[in-house]
Amino acid sequence: MERFARGPVGLVVAIQVLVLTLLSGRYGFHRDELYFLAAGKRLDWGYVDQPSLTPLLARISTDVFGATPAGLRVAATLCAAATVILLALVAREFGGGRGTQVLTAAMTALAAFVVVDGHMLSTATVDMLVWSALGLVILRLFRTGDGRWWLAIGAVVGIGMEGKWLVLLMVASIGLAVLAVGPRTVFRTGWLPAGILLALVLAAPGLIWQAAHDFPLLTVASGISEDDGAENRILFVPMQLLYLSPVAVPVWIAGGLRLWRDPQLRWARSLALAYPVLCVILLVLGGKPYYSAPFLLLLAAAGADPCLRWLDRTWRRTLAVALAFAGAAVSLVVGLPLLPPSALAPILAVNKEQGEQVGWPELASSVTRVWERIPAEQRSAAVIFTRNYGQAGALEHYGLPAVHSGHMSYADWGPPPDIFGPVVVVGPYLPAWFTGCHEAAVHDNGLGVENEEQGVRISLCAGTSRPWSALWGELRHYY
């Protein structure tokens, strides 16, 4: 086993952390981050669309570093840095020396998927760390045959399930691949049930919460499949080519071929098969294309060594350096807030998440102007109702009162009291829900960014058609 290249890998991580930290306060919160802030103030063992880990990280990060984008994103930066270290260790498992480990670390740090999710906190941020850790301990099990690694696998899976249940797809795909091509001997140990038990114990709080609430997480997943399944399937293959970088595609393909063909890595052969198995599962389920992106990092780690061997000629090294710089530039521009918001239009075609990080203070100002039209004596009974959790989280964060929404777990934190009073409605609504409504404003962020909230209509209504408690079931929506 090669020594871990602690120094040069540490340098890559230090540069990564510096860049992410310097840019973490630019633009503003993402809509999901605003939701995590709200959920973090209402800590629970679960939420309708996610387990508890990401809101908990949001709460800890903002309590320690401040309720600002930069403060919140310390957690994301640390997850991204840990992912780079883990992937360098994965490359080491495949026999990679100093150069291979450093190349893997650099590819991981500059992968578009890692750049995007390392910049902002999301469930995918936690997931890429969990999948990387799980890949490492599974490879340790395969390489050594030591059944005690099942305990580490169980611990990672259990903790991972408190972040996102997608980790079960990785377990399923690798499990099926092992049954097909081995090493099947890893299943013949008493440590396997011990690892399963440990995973269940760690995941129990979230599982119990979901069971007590009729598994709303499955309802959300079903909504994603029904509403976006066709689009997800169409985009699946093209997006696999973009998530790391088009430049990195030959590397992760070489990694898969190496794992399949190299007799010295026969113990890791199932990892090469697991990726296409995972892709088939996601295509059948209509899952989002990025769900498989963390697996590509593992394959790229396997491909780093043959990539270095291919670069034994000067012209190849020159070409690789040029392509690497081009790929890195694209990843950084697409994934990080380097451009002024007014120049984001071409970026949003590839990464719409950048557009979701601007305009929230302006939305709060638009709603505030409508709120101030309500006579002062009526405001104690007034309510602000939004159609999605990003709007609700933004208005709550920027200090507006009586903010409610029927979206995701915001529905569990309502309804408002059954007091008839004015309602400021942000977004579309059915006339059967509210009375005496008129359009009071059309939001313009003033930044020239066409995001989801640009042009949203803000209405001022006299009240609700029925008590809030009677309406709430109709107002609730999961996706």
Side-chain angles (χ1 to χ4, degrees):
M1 175 66 65
E2 297 284 345
R3 294 183 61 182
F4 181 53
R6 183 178 300 132
V9 170
L11 179 61
V12 172
V13 171
I15 295 172
Q16 176 198 33
V17 169
L18 177 62
V19 172
L20 290 176
T21 300
L22 289 175
L23 295 172
S24 61
R26 188 164 161 79
Y27 295 177
F29 291 110
H30 185 273
R31 67 169 56 251
D32 290 352
E33 292 178 319
L34 290 163
Y35 179 44
F36 299 143
L37 289 176
K41 295 174 185 176
R42 303 166 175 90
L43 287 176
D44 204 341
W45 289 114
Y47 305 89
V48 298
D49 55 334
Q50 62 184 308
S52 59
L53 184 54
T54 306
L56 176 61
L57 291 176
R59 174 67 175 270
I60 293 172
S61 195
T62 51
D63 280 355
V64 175
F65 300 103
T68 64
L72 173 67
R73 289 167 179 167
V74 171
T77 298
L78 293 177
C79 285
T83 298
V84 171
I85 294 170
L86 288 170
L87 265 297
L89 289 170
V90 167
R92 180 171 173 257
E93 287 297 308
F94 294 133
R98 182 185 182 92
T100 300
Q101 294 173 38
V102 174
L103 176 60
T104 300
M107 282 194 302
T108 303
L110 291 170
F113 175 74
V114 177
V115 171
V116 171
D117 289 319
H119 167 64
M120 63 183 192
L121 182 63
S122 70
T123 53
T125 307
V126 178
D127 221 34
M128 71 179 181
L129 174 60
V130 169
W131 284 45
S132 300
L134 184 57
L136 177 62
V137 293
I138 286 176
L139 287 170
R140 287 277 173 90
L141 170 68
F142 290 172
R143 181 177 60 80
T144 65
D146 187 344
R148 288 173 294 182
W149 281 104
W150 278 114
L151 292 177
I153 292 170
V156 174
V157 171
I159 295 171
M161 286 189 66
E162 295 294 356
K164 207 167 187 176
W165 287 7
L166 287 179
V167 68
L168 295 178
L169 296 182
M170 182 180 185
V171 172
S173 61
I174 294 179
L176 291 171
V178 171
L179 288 174
V181 299
R184 301 180 192 90
T185 55
V186 298
F187 292 138
R188 302 175 195 146
T189 172
W191 291 105
L192 173 56
I196 294 173
L197 179 61
L198 179 58
L200 289 173
V201 169
L202 291 173
L207 289 171
I208 293 171
W209 189 96
Q210 287 289 327
H213 293 79
D214 298 323
F215 291 98
L217 193 55
L218 299 181
T219 303
V220 175
S222 176
I224 292 173
S225 180
E226 290 176 9
D227 290 2
D228 295 342
E231 180 182 357
N232 290 339
R233 293 182 180 98
I234 292 170
L235 293 177
F236 189 87
V237 172
M239 294 308 294
Q240 301 306 296
L241 306 180
L242 298 177
Y243 279 131
L244 301 194
S245 167
V247 177
V249 171
V251 182
W252 61 258
I253 290 178
L257 293 174
R258 179 191 179 200
L259 295 177
W260 187 256
R261 295 172 176 174
D262 191 339
Q264 293 184 338
L265 293 177
R266 189 171 182 82
W267 53 268
R269 195 181 189 195
S270 57
L271 205 67
L273 178 60
Y275 173 66
V277 170
L278 174 63
C279 292
V280 170
I281 293 173
L282 290 174
L283 286 168
V284 170
L285 296 177
K288 295 183 179 181
Y290 77 80
Y291 290 170
S292 61
F295 214 113
L296 294 175
L297 297 173
L298 299 173
L299 296 180
D305 191 61
C307 176
L308 280 180
R309 291 199 301 270
W310 184 82
L311 297 173
D312 60 348
R313 297 184 181 180
T314 302
W315 72 269
R316 290 177 177 176
R317 287 195 294 270
T318 303
L319 175 62
V321 169
L323 290 175
F325 271 109
V330 171
S331 291
L332 294 175
V333 171
V334 168
L336 294 178
L338 294 172
L339 301 177
S342 58
L344 278 179
I347 301 300
L348 299 184
V350 181
N351 177 24
K352 67 177 183 179
E353 309 306 338
Q354 287 227 36
E356 300 302 325
Q357 298 173 52
V358 298
W360 297 112
E362 291 77 12
L363 176 65
S365 297
S366 296
V367 176
T368 298
R369 288 192 291 271
V370 176
W371 174 265
E372 290 174 346
R373 298 186 194 179
I374 301 173
E377 65 274 12
Q378 297 182 28
R379 290 179 191 168
S380 61
V383 169
I384 299 173
F385 180 78
T386 76
R387 286 292 292 163
N388 65 60
Y389 61 54
Q391 298 166 348
L395 301 182
E396 182 180 323
H397 177 73
Y398 291 109
L400 276 82
V403 178
H404 295 268
S405 179
H407 191 206
M408 296 299 189
S409 278
Y410 258 101
D412 294 325
W413 308 330
D418 283 332
I419 302 173
F420 188 85
V423 183
V424 177
V425 181
V426 183
Y429 63 92
L430 292 180
W433 295 338
F434 306 105
T435 62
C437 299
H438 67 275
E439 186 178 292
V442 176
H443 171 61
D444 180 4
N445 57 43
L447 301 170
V449 178
E450 291 295 329
N451 58 19
E452 189 172 330
E453 306 309 324
Q454 179 69 347
V456 70
R457 299 181 183 279
I458 305 169
S459 302
L460 181 57
C461 302
T464 56
S465 60
R466 286 173 283 158
W468 282 105
S469 57
L471 275 175
W472 206 242
E474 297 176 31
L475 297 175
R476 174 166 210 156
H477 58 110
Y478 290 98
Y479 186 64

